[in-house]
DNA sequence: TGTCGGACGGCAAACGTTTTCCACTGCGCG
DNA sequence: CGCGCAGTGGAAAACGTTTGCCGTCCGACA
């Protein structure tokens, strides 16, 4: 019922507990003769022994488990990054606890608490943090406790706290997307902003502004509307823009889900993409290529970022006891504009209201 | 560095280790006076103590961690079910390790092994199992070892092994989808089958056959093609069917991803949905409603199934020591046809080849 | 021949909990 | 006045590992 213990293996192999441990434990210096080794291995196999990671973790004060906290599991951005994380972790012999916070800061806290109790070796915050003072304070606090028992925390999207991060070049990508529209001849470019209190939105919006500025186009606040990072959020924001009646010929949405929402609304209003309206998204999630027309967007190397996060964590863990690892605190991963069929030079021009 | 231990809390509170444990451990019968309780609580708070789940798990031989094994994280079916799992688990105070096997049986095995070492309380196999003899044998073996230390395994899609399961009514749903097409007047209905060796495919195909049979339509093997459960798989399968030149007026795809692949191919060939060709999918993943036209499909209660899975696991765990819980081994969750705009009575009729 | 050191193996202590048993204190009751 | 009992607190034994330290054997070397 309760699994085979090392003690039983030792007994079956006719050796001491210590010897059995030395044979079965990968990281071990102590020499063991081949004959004894074989005996122990045989005993372990016949009892089909598997080490109790709890006991080991308790003893060595270090587990092989990470926790990844995402905002929403079903969002392709998050699950793709998470996939990069779990794959890289598995390759290193780590298990990953994946937590879906449902964008609820409180739930996020509970998850960090649970992860802490499990004494995970590291926590990866996949989603962008909030800008609010109280949130950042709570976060700082949590990271402190995590570190108090030797764990590390890292971010995969911008967060306020000064923690190691592997993040996409949101600002640069948004800048290039805007440049692209400008180069096509668009001058009145609407921006569908993400939630204002999320740092990721803020960065992307900066990129949009950079692009306008470089082109000498004045920012028109009436062409900016924000909403949740979802299809519904994007659609609702576009509805407001369209209904406001200020004309524009292109839309840059802060992420692909919002862009899809825009697509749906444009379709509903009989506006053709890209003939009547150009559309650009952000992230390059998988599905976006199946739409009609396939979406022009900014590719974020999601799996790579996940893997980089794990590599970073592993490095931090290795360095423990030694000197702190060199290198930058925040690594920025390049993003890339992917031009598909949803963008074109302005056609009929003005959007109907 | 190494976190606060209960011993330190006890010392700070001026009580014994035992008393401190009794105060801080939720499940505890032993009475403790209010005054002492307050003292311990204060000490714990000031040291910001958090229980070491490793030590606890080691002692009580029971952890509060589940493992969920999925085929592919990015697949909306899996991540939605997984979300149901993690949410329900969190509500019960459990953490969930989510493992992406990349459809690799070997990786799946490694994950089960790791999960076992962590002494997880239960494993949920989210994806359908393979039909192959060797796979089923390996699986049986793994479940046995899991159970040998008191863990439970359950399935959320059909698997060969006799293990408790919460699965969708694949066959019934496929039957209803087929009925729907028949009722619209279709007689030549193509079926885009999933991978043959996956049990889920098999069940859905059975439903398709049931539907044809009930309508008195002979199964035409030339109208069936299979592929991986992905957009590319569906598209490739449809290409084969279309190129074969045997006419049909409707397509029933074994899952939504494949249906999307079909949509893309039909679009590429200038075939209008539903005018030239009706299309039905399976699962009702989120994105499917954003396509043009929105897809008619069979809704699978994905989050509910995930939640039911953890409820089942929890029940099994509770029952340990008592008599085995009653009820069926396999619970089938009803699926529901969702009619959207991708189906209509046959129009121009024959597909071009 | 005596000594030294390398190779191997074992003993036992710890890691941080939970829990069983036991001790002590009052107090009501026969 | 002795007894049991309810209410409270503590001592200590586990849970299954890893690892520092020590002992033994054996061959090599002076």
């Amino acid at each position: 019922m309760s699994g085979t213990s090392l003690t039983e293996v030792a007994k079956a192999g006719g050796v001491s507990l210590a010897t059995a441990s030395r044979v079965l434990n990968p990281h071990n210096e102590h020499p063991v003769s081949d004959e004894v080794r074989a005996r122990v291995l045989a005993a372990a196999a016949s009892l089909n022994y598997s080490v109790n990671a709890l006991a080991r973790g308790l003893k060595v004060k270090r587990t092989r488990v990470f926790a990844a906290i995402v905002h929403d599991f079903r969002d392709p951005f998050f699950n793709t990054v998470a996939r990069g994380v779990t794959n890289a972790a598995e390759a290193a012999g780590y298990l990953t606890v994946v937590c879906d916070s449902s964008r609820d800061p409180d739930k996020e806290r509970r998850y960090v608490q649970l992860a802490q109790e499990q004494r995970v070796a590291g926590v990866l915050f996949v989603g962008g943090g909030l800008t609010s003072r109280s949130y950042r304070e709570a976060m700082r606090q949590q990271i402190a406790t995590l570190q108090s028992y030797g764990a590390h925390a890292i971010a995969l999207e911008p967060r306020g706290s000064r923690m190691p991060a592997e993040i996409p070049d949101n600002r640069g990508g948004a800048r290039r997307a805007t440049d692209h529209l400008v180069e096509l001849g668009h001058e009145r470019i609407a921006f569908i902003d993400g939630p204002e209190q999320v740092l990721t939105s803020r960065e992307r919006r900066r990129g949009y502004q950079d692009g306008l500025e470089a082109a000498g186009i004045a920012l028109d606040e009436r062409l900016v509307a924000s909403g949740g990072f979802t299809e519904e959020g994007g659609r609702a924001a576009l509805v407001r823009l369209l209904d406001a009646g200020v004309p524009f010929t292109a839309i840059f949405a802060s992420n692909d889900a919002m862009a899809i929402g825009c697509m749906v609304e444009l379709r509903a209003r009989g506006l053709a993409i890209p003939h009547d309206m150009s559309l650009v998204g952000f992230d390059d999630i998988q599905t976006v290529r199946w739409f009609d027309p396939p979406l022009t967007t900014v590719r974020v190397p999601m799996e790579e970022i996940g893997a980089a996060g794990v590599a970073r964590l592993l490095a931090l863990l290795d360095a423990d006891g030694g000197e702190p690892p060199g290198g930058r605190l925040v690594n920025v991963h390049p993003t890339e504009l992917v031009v598909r069929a949803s963008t074109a030079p302005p056609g009929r021009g003005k959007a109907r209201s």
Side-chain angles (χ1 to χ4, degrees), chain A residues 152-166:
Chain A
H152 293 275
I154 76 155
L156 265 29
E157 271 290 346
R159 303 213 135 221
S161 345
R162 349 184 350 87
M163 75 178 128
E166 302 285 331

Side-chain angles (χ1 to χ4, degrees), chain A residues 81 84 99 108 144 159 167 188 220 254 291 302 325 335 338 350:
Chain A
V81 175
C99 312
E108 182 175 300
R159 303 213 135 221
I167 63 177
R188 303 205 51 81
D220 184 345
S254 198
F291 279 86
M302 300 176 277
T335 51
V338 179
K350 316 307 174 194

Side-chain angles (χ1 to χ4, degrees), chain A residues 179-251:
Chain A
D179 287 351
H180 169 63
L181 290 171
V182 167
E183 284 160 16
L184 285 172
H186 294 277
E187 296 183 347
R188 303 205 51 81
I189 302 170
F191 183 65
I192 306 290
D193 200 2
E196 298 174 15
Q197 68 278 25
V198 174
L199 288 166
T200 306
S201 311
R202 188 170 282 200
E203 293 191 351
R204 293 182 182 176
R205 178 169 180 163
R206 283 300 290 256
Y208 163 70
Q209 292 172 337
D210 291 347
L212 292 186
E213 195 172 326
I217 300 175
L219 173 67
D220 184 345
E221 289 287 356
R222 295 169 308 165
L223 292 184
V224 176
S226 78
F229 267 144
T230 61
E231 288 85 355
E232 291 85 352
R235 183 172 187 173
L238 179 58
V239 165
R240 290 202 301 282
L241 251 29
L242 252 16
D243 288 352
V246 181
F248 51 94
T249 61
I251 303 168

Side-chain angles (χ1 to χ4, degrees), chain A residues 50-85:
Chain A
S50 87
V51 66
N52 184 327
L54 274 61
R56 172 182 294 179
L58 178 58
K59 188 68 178 101
V60 307
K61 295 166 172 299
R62 194 172 189 290
T63 61
R64 297 187 141 254
V65 178
F66 291 139
I69 300 189
V70 306
H71 287 327
D72 184 348
F73 234 62
R74 294 165 310 179
D75 183 320
F77 177 84
F78 293 120
N79 59 49
T80 307
V81 175
R83 183 176 217 251
V85 169

Side-chain angles (χ1 to χ4, degrees), chain A residues 23-307:
Chain A
V23 172
L24 264 11
N25 185 340
H27 315 287
N28 198 297
E29 307 293 84
H30 207 86
V32 174
S33 72
D34 286 351
E35 187 238 328
V36 169
R37 174 180 302 276
R39 231 165 50 219
V40 173
L41 253 19
S46 85
L47 294 174
N48 70 58
Y49 169 77
S50 87
V51 66
N52 184 327
L54 274 61
R56 172 182 294 179
L58 178 58
K59 188 68 178 101
V60 307
K61 295 166 172 299
R62 194 172 189 290
T63 61
R64 297 187 141 254
V65 178
F66 291 139
I69 300 189
V70 306
H71 287 327
D72 184 348
F73 234 62
R74 294 165 310 179
D75 183 320
F77 177 84
F78 293 120
N79 59 49
T80 307
V81 175
R83 183 176 217 251
V85 169
T86 59
N87 277 346
E90 196 267 347
Y94 279 70
L95 232 33
T96 308
V97 170
V98 184
C99 312
D100 181 329
S101 72
S102 306
R103 299 190 181 276
D104 173 356
D106 212 59
K107 196 163 176 183
E108 182 175 300
R109 272 181 46 103
R110 286 206 304 280
Y111 269 128
V112 175
Q113 171 67 24
L114 281 177
Q116 194 180 135
E117 292 182 357
Q118 299 291 333
R119 299 297 189 260
V120 300
V123 176
L124 299 104
F125 293 95
V126 182
L130 303 182
T131 54
S132 90
R133 187 116 204 81
S134 64
Y135 178 85
R136 289 163 77 152
E137 176 51 29
M139 188 53 55
R140 208 194 49 67
Q141 162 74 8
Q142 284 180 51
I143 297 173
T145 24
L146 275 173
Q147 286 174 336
S148 80
Y149 74 85
H152 293 275
I154 76 155
L156 265 29
E157 271 290 346
R159 303 213 135 221
S161 345
R162 349 184 350 87
M163 75 178 128
E166 302 285 331
I167 63 177
D169 181 12
N170 290 312
R171 186 169 175 178
R175 162 72 195 268
R176 274 186 302 280
T178 311
D179 287 351
H180 169 63
L181 290 171
V182 167
E183 284 160 16
L184 285 172
H186 294 277
E187 296 183 347
R188 303 205 51 81
I189 302 170
F191 183 65
I192 306 290
D193 200 2
E196 298 174 15
Q197 68 278 25
V198 174
L199 288 166
T200 306
S201 311
R202 188 170 282 200
E203 293 191 351
R204 293 182 182 176
R205 178 169 180 163
R206 283 300 290 256
Y208 163 70
Q209 292 172 337
D210 291 347
L212 292 186
E213 195 172 326
I217 300 175
L219 173 67
D220 184 345
E221 289 287 356
R222 295 169 308 165
L223 292 184
V224 176
S226 78
F229 267 144
T230 61
E231 288 85 355
E232 291 85 352
R235 183 172 187 173
L238 179 58
V239 165
R240 290 202 301 282
L241 251 29
L242 252 16
D243 288 352
V246 181
F248 51 94
T249 61
I251 303 168
F252 174 28
S254 198
N255 83 348
D256 286 342
M258 298 183 92
I260 290 173
C262 291
M263 228 156 143
V264 172
E265 182 60 23
L266 291 172
R267 207 152 57 207
R269 298 196 183 213
L271 292 171
I273 308 170
H275 186 259
D276 300 320
M277 188 73 76
S278 282
L279 180 61
V280 180
F282 205 111
D283 284 348
D284 195 20
I285 62 177
Q286 289 242 320
T287 44
V288 118
R289 78 193 64 200
W290 310 118
F291 279 86
D292 182 27
L295 190 70
T296 292
T297 187
V298 177
R299 183 177 126 73
V300 172
M302 300 176 277
E303 298 212 32
E304 287 86 335
I305 288 181

